[in-house]
Amino acid sequence: MGLPFAPLYSSIEDIEKYINKYKYTGNAVLDNSKISVEQFKSFISKYCTINTIYAINVSDSNTAIELLNNGVYQLVDFDVSTSTDIPASRLISSSKDIKIINPGATDLSAELLKYLKTDRADGLYTTVVVDEYERCLGLVYSSKESIEKAISLGQGIYYSRSRNEVWYKGATSGHVQELLRFDFDCDGDALKFVVKQSGEFCHVPSQKSCFGSFGYGFYELESVLKDRLVNAAPNSYTRRLFNDEELLHAKIREEAQELVDAKDKDEISWECADLIYFAFVKLIKNGVSLKDVEKNLQLKNLKTIKRKGDAKPEFLVSSGSASASNGSKSNTSTSTSTVGGPIHLNVVKCSDKEAVEKAFVRPIQDTESIMSLVKPIVENVKTNGDKAILEYTSKFDKVELTTPILEAPFPEEYSNSLSDEIKGALDLSIANVEKFHKAQLQLEVMNVETQPGVICSRFPRPIEKVGCYIPGGTAILPSTALMLGVPAKVANCKEIVFASPPGKNGKLSAEVVYVASKVGCSKIVMAGGAQAVAAMAYGTESVPKVDKILGPGNQFVTAAKMLVNNDTSALCSIDMPAGPSEVLVIADNTSDVDFVASDLLSQAEHGVDSQVILVGVNLSDDYVTRLQKAVDQQANNLPRVEIVRKCIEHSTIVLCNDYESAFEMSNKYAPEHLILQIENAEDYVKLVDNAGSVFVGAYTPESCGDYSSGTNHTLPTYGYARQYSGVNTSTFQKFITAQYVTPKGLDNIGKAVMCVAKVEGLDGHRNAVKIRMSKLGLLPKHFV
Ligand SMILES: NC(=O)c1ccc[n+]([C@@H]2O[C@H](COP(=O)([O-])OP(=O)(O)OC[C@H]3O[C@@H](n4cnc5c(N)ncnc54)[C@H](O)[C@@H]3O)[C@@H](O)[C@H]2O)c1
Ligand SMILES: N[C@H](CO)Cc1c[nH]c[nH+]1
Ligand SMILES: [Zn+2]
């Protein structure tokens, strides 16, 4: 029911003077003619245990509404004729609803006892004791004297019937109580004490309440998490959540989405519990208590004008989206986001040369600024080895490791964590990539007799030590592990080293480790970015120095590869500058818009710096409209929609009038991937001059080449397809030439050698031939 009386504070001074005693009433009347709205607000936030706040002398309806919207429970004696917006439940009168007392002139315990009744023969008052969360601790009795003492000392003080005396709770056990508030029951014959209990209330050991344990609820979770914040073991999951804000936020988003997707009662309660757990971790980490949250709920509940409640646009499910139709769990809460309008490609005509030129610019970051970031990283790793790697892993990947290397044989836990399904899928991909790359393996020695007695030969040798970089920043790419590892194995490289950034749990991807053991990799550098490249280029205490570094990666990886490639002291070559993924699709009106859209999006999802281009041949307006719609709909169903959205911002449809100009466009762009979704696609392959890899026909999505068909997916980007091939078996080989010249052979070419050497002014060269030819008697006597 609440107390039938409330203390009036007529000024800030009044508050300061009387609040300490009168706070136990849990209520207060504040005089708005002396206390401003702002002062009301700070009172409300400062005195959290005062639940019921009244305002008196409120003169106008705007102030009234502001007060009610900011935590005032009711207005006393407010002139309702000034406003129709205030519900009747928020108005009371001092003549009939509540007695307003003057704290300076009233004795609180006497006032309380005026209203309190008892039906007990011994004259005691039945008293329920609850904790600050309103959980019942037990039943006790109070006397007039104990009530007076409780109020004057601000403690839980009762009357002991067995000892027949005032009972100072905790006087012997030490389990004292801080008095927070008291209250009446509905007919004023029972008292409630709200206390903060130290230790246990009950005399039974380890029993917090006389009614047993509280069960595991929100408050228990809160206290467990508070304890974990201080005491959790360094490797516990909760500690990880406290330390890794990114992980915590990802989990909150994930659980929120799972709650949205949950259907039946069990599922909903399960997902809601998960969400609450992670939300609580966020509270405790930031020193916010459940009480603070309750206070907030109360304030919101007290608002007379509620928010309209519409969701922010980015959280609305787009029309046509079927996110839940396949029951699959998306991994971000924004998977169905429509923020920023529809996801559409820009459209330009191929005759508009300037527009095409602009559309074909790759979204590359300025090389110089990247280089200036990467150079010190490379230098540091070169000088400080493992220590520097570990520091960068901590800085960029937010993982503390003790060693940057995982050595073969790799721990079985990795392989054991994989399902047979994924192992089977990787095995099939490995087998196909192996088959295709074995077919490319050149083992024969080539011999050519260029002149009689001059035999030139060429023979292959594997590059001894190779370092394969497997990206792992935005996505785990075991497919890249096999695209590099398998040809290295096929080429018989003596040592294969992998490098890949560890996940937030400090572990590598189990799939990457699985591929590593399949291809005979000796060590995996658990690091990413420029530091991993530098470690493999120069070697460290634990990372072997390699002869060639291969593999794609982000701009830091690519820049570091270029840097070490140019440093002769590193003696390390690279495959190519393979950067952000890109695709160019050539389509005509016979192509299926859904197929085309899916191919564009499959590369757009790689990264915000990826680029996708559609070159259309005679596309009708209707086709372009349907295509744009398909792109938007499919994109909004992808978990990585926000990456896709950014990529599509710099992606374009180029409209051409014939196949020849379409291929001209494509050759000019020199895409990493070229997909031909045109009628009789095979007939057009002959028009391709520049491309990393070509995907021919409607049923050849690029994904097949990315994973399982057998071709390699490490391909030149940025237009380097003009001069580079994608990774292939010979990327892991070198070719040594040899020659064998007989006296007859020397006779056939010696004079030409001497002649050219003379032109070059290199007499030493000339002499090496001359000396031999003269001993063989192949030169005239006075030859000079
Ligand atoms: N062309 C191809 O054949 C091909 C194949 C697969 C992937 N890719 C491309 O590879 C790229 C992979 O990039 P990713 O970022 O996901 O993974 P990544 O492994 O290449 O890079 C992640 C690393 O970057 C480093 N890093 C992050 N922020 C940094 C900063 N501010 N300063 C210095 N270093 C920093 C960190 O060490 C981190 O480990 C994508 O662009 C993808 O399109 C290309
Ligand atoms: N398309 C990427 C090469 O540009 C390779 C890849 C890996 N996983 C998926 N795709
Ligand atoms: Zn891909």
Side-chain angles (χ1 to χ4, degrees):
M1 153 181 123
L3 295 179
F5 63 89
L8 171 71
Y9 300 101
S10 296
S11 62
I12 296 296
E13 295 73 47
D14 263 9
I15 296 173
E16 281 162 5
K17 222 160 158 186
Y18 303 117
I19 193 76
N20 272 345
K21 188 165 194 186
Y22 279 84
K23 66 185 177 202
Y24 306 126
T25 60
N27 63 19
V29 184
L30 269 63
D31 183 347
N32 186 224
S33 66
K34 307 275 173 37
I35 298 172
S36 70
V37 174
E38 284 316 306
Q39 288 166 332
F40 262 77
K41 288 184 196 168
S42 67
F43 178 90
I44 291 165
S45 78
K46 187 166 174 196
Y47 299 106
C48 297
T49 57
I50 300 181
N51 282 335
T52 314
I53 292 160
Y54 306 97
I56 196 165
N57 294 330
V58 181
S59 58
D60 63 284
S61 65
N62 284 345
T63 313
I65 289 171
E66 203 182 346
L67 288 168
L68 292 177
N69 281 342
N70 282 286
V72 167
Y73 176 47
Q74 285 173 323
L75 306 175
V76 183
D77 299 334
F78 181 69
D79 178 6
V80 275
S81 65
T82 64
S83 172
T84 51
D85 289 338
I86 301 172
S89 61
R90 307 298 291 276
L91 301 166
I92 54 168
S93 114
S94 59
S95 57
K96 64 177 177 26
D97 298 316
I98 193 150
K99 183 182 172 202
I100 295 178
I101 58 163
N102 175 355
T106 317
D107 175 65
L108 179 56
S109 42
E111 190 68 22
L112 180 71
L113 289 165
K114 252 197 234 169
Y115 297 92
L116 198 56
K117 294 180 287 188
T118 178
D119 49 9
R120 293 180 55 90
D122 55 11
L124 297 177
Y125 304 100
T126 308
T127 305
V128 179
V129 186
V130 301
D131 68 9
E132 67 266 51
Y133 310 118
E134 301 275 346
R135 294 178 302 186
C136 185
L137 295 171
L139 187 70
V140 296
Y141 295 91
S142 300
S143 64
K144 286 184 181 166
E145 190 189 355
S146 74
I147 291 171
E148 280 162 9
K149 292 208 181 310
I151 291 173
S152 77
L153 294 174
Q155 285 181 21
I157 298 171
Y158 312 103
Y159 190 84
S160 163
R161 287 175 309 156
S162 55
R163 295 199 303 272
N164 231 341
E165 61 180 18
V166 171
W167 164 34
Y168 293 80
K169 170 71 187 146
T172 48
S173 66
H175 295 171
V176 288
Q177 298 174 338
E178 179 192 345
L179 177 61
L180 300 177
R181 227 174 41 240
F182 49 72
D183 217 338
F184 283 180
D185 76 346
C186 52
D187 50 7
D189 63 359
L191 197 54
K192 179 169 89 176
F193 264 49
V194 182
V195 298
K196 197 167 184 179
Q197 175 73 57
S198 73
E200 277 101 37
F201 175 79
C202 185
H203 68 288
V204 177
S206 306
Q207 194 163 300
K208 282 192 175 149
S209 136
C210 290
F211 297 100
S213 84
F214 290 133
Y216 198 84
F218 293 159
Y219 296 110
E220 289 302 300
L221 175 60
E222 182 188 41
S223 76
V224 167
L225 288 174
K226 273 185 179 163
D227 175 67
R228 298 269 161 85
L229 183 63
V230 182
N231 300 317
N235 55 356
S236 79
Y237 182 60
T238 312
R239 165 70 57 230
R240 259 188 77 205
L241 289 172
F242 281 132
N243 291 347
D244 184 346
E245 193 154 82
E246 213 174 294
L247 171 68
L248 175 60
H249 289 171
K251 291 304 293 181
I252 291 174
R253 282 194 288 270
E254 180 185 316
E255 297 304 341
Q257 184 62 46
E258 288 180 358
L259 178 58
V260 170
D261 295 340
K263 298 271 174 319
D264 63 37
K265 205 174 155 191
D266 287 346
E267 220 186 325
I268 293 169
S269 61
W270 177 276
E271 297 303 348
C272 187
D274 282 352
L275 180 59
I276 286 170
Y277 170 79
F278 291 106
F280 272 38
V281 174
K282 170 117 192 178
L283 294 182
I284 305 304
K285 175 183 159 84
N286 291 285
V288 181
S289 72
L290 211 42
K291 276 275 146 206
D292 298 325
V293 178
E294 283 182 351
K295 185 82 195 168
N296 213 291
L297 284 170
Q298 190 191 357
L299 286 176
K300 283 174 178 146
N301 182 46
L302 285 175
K303 281 189 194 295
T304 55
I305 301 164
K306 306 272 197 286
R307 282 196 309 162
K308 201 164 148 231
D310 290 344
K312 288 184 182 164
E314 64 265 39
F315 293 97
L316 290 170
V317 178
S318 70
S319 57
S321 138
S323 67
S325 65
N326 58 6
S328 67
K329 289 187 172 187
S330 65
N331 60 8
T332 70
S333 63
T334 52
S335 63
T336 51
S337 151
T338 57
V339 68
I343 300 178
H344 286 167
L345 290 97
N346 311 309
V347 184
V348 303
K349 286 197 175 131
C350 92
S351 53
D352 185 345
K353 297 224 159 24
E354 210 179 303
V356 171
E357 207 65 49
K358 222 168 130 194
F360 281 3
V361 173
R362 262 74 168 189
I364 322 168
Q365 235 195 36
D366 159 35
T367 322
E368 252 181 49
S369 63
I370 288 285
M371 280 295 178
S372 64
L373 286 171
V374 163
K375 257 186 203 157
I377 299 178
V378 171
E379 276 307 313
N380 192 5
V381 173
K382 188 176 167 185
T383 317
N384 296 308
D386 287 354
K387 183 171 163 279
I389 307 177
L390 295 176
E391 277 166 14
Y392 289 122
T393 303
S394 163
K395 181 171 173 188
F396 297 127
D397 302 289
K398 308 275 179 290
V399 185
E400 305 296 332
L401 296 179
T402 47
T403 167
I405 208 96
L406 188 72
E407 289 198 52
F410 305 115
E412 277 186 3
E413 59 177 277
Y414 280 105
S415 167
N416 292 343
S417 71
L418 294 177
S419 67
D420 288 344
E421 190 191 4
I422 180 66
K423 284 183 190 168
L426 289 171
D427 288 348
L428 176 94
S429 304
I430 289 173
N432 289 347
V433 172
E434 188 162 356
K435 199 167 176 184
F436 187 61
H437 287 76
K438 259 191 183 157
Q440 300 165 26
L441 181 64
Q442 302 175 53
L443 291 174
E444 345 51 71
V445 179
M446 183 186 76
N447 286 311
V448 178
E449 191 161 8
T450 53
Q451 294 284 329
V454 180
I455 302 113
C456 296
S457 63
R458 192 186 82 151
F459 56 90
R461 288 286 182 272
I463 295 173
E464 262 184 46
K465 294 182 179 190
V466 290
C468 307
Y469 185 84
I470 325 295
T474 58
I476 298 166
L477 300 177
S479 55
T480 303
L482 71 90
M483 292 296 173
L484 299 171
V486 170
K489 179 180 162 219
V490 167
N492 281 317
C493 295
K494 273 200 192 129
E495 179 157 24
I496 303 172
V497 177
F498 276 11
S500 194
K504 294 277 177 275
N505 59 358
K507 299 229 154 89
L508 289 161
S509 137
E511 291 84 359
V512 169
V513 178
Y514 179 76
V515 173
S517 42
K518 284 265 162 175
V519 301
C521 163
S522 65
K523 291 182 176 81
I524 309 179
V525 184
M526 294 194 290
Q531 58 275 24
V533 172
M536 294 192 289
Y538 299 103
T540 68
E541 304 91 306
S542 60
V543 181
K545 188 226 168 315
V546 299
D547 304 309
K548 186 168 186 176
I549 296 176
L550 308 101
N554 63 17
Q555 299 165 86
F556 305 105
V557 173
T558 308
K561 277 170 68 183
M562 291 167 98
L563 213 68
V564 299
N565 187 38
N566 286 340
D567 178 1
T568 44
S569 76
L571 265 186
C572 185
S573 70
I574 63 167
D575 49 352
M576 71 187 111
S581 300
E582 52 192 44
V583 67
L584 186 146
V585 181
I586 301 183
D588 59 19
N589 285 310
T590 66
S591 62
D592 181 320
V593 285
D594 293 326
F595 291 5
V596 174
S598 71
D599 285 340
L600 294 169
L601 295 172
S602 75
Q603 288 317 288
E605 77 171 349
H606 269 295
V608 294
D609 46 6
S610 289
Q611 190 173 57
V612 302
I613 305 281
L614 171 63
V615 175
V617 183
N618 285 325
L619 293 185
S620 65
D621 290 351
D622 171 61
Y623 181 102
V624 175
T625 309
R626 285 187 296 116
L627 188 265
Q628 297 275 34
K629 202 165 161 202
V631 167
D632 184 52
Q633 281 189 356
Q634 290 185 27
N636 277 301
N637 278 322
L638 293 172
R640 292 162 72 96
V641 58
E642 288 316 321
I643 293 179
V644 168
R645 181 184 293 285
K646 295 214 171 70
C647 164
I648 297 291
E649 277 168 18
H650 44 247
S651 297
T652 308
I653 300 176
V654 181
L655 299 172
C656 295
N657 296 329
D658 52 65
Y659 292 96
E660 284 68 27
S661 43
F663 279 88
E664 209 177 288
M665 285 290 124
S666 172
N667 287 326
K668 178 179 163 64
Y669 184 73
E672 180 194 14
H673 307 99
L674 170 61
I675 302 182
L676 305 181
Q677 293 219 38
I678 47 181
E679 211 170 14
N680 303 322
E682 313 90 275
D683 297 345
Y684 288 90
V685 176
K686 58 179 180 290
L687 297 184
V688 178
D689 291 330
N690 300 323
S693 195
V694 188
F695 299 77
V696 186
Y699 297 98
T700 319
E702 193 212 300
S703 315
C704 289
D706 276 352
Y707 296 116
S708 310
S709 62
T711 60
N712 208 289
H713 82 202
T714 314
L715 300 165
T717 58
Y718 298 143
Y720 279 108
R722 287 180 189 83
Q723 53 276 91
Y724 280 92
S725 315
V727 163
N728 57 80
T729 310
S730 70
T731 313
F732 297 85
Q733 291 176 299
K734 65 213 176 207
F735 294 86
I736 303 171
T737 57
Q739 52 243 277
Y740 170 53
V741 181
T742 63
K744 186 170 172 38
L746 197 60
D747 193 20
N748 282 330
I749 62 171
K751 284 188 184 134
V753 173
M754 286 191 289
C755 174
V756 181
K758 190 173 183 180
V759 170
E760 290 189 353
L762 296 174
D763 269 21
H765 287 66
R766 187 170 182 270
N767 199 39
V769 173
K770 189 179 142 194
I771 215 161
R772 285 176 170 82
M773 288 185 80
S774 66
K775 278 205 180 168
L776 285 168
L778 295 173
L779 294 178
K781 251 195 178 149
H782 301 294
F783 183 85
V784 276

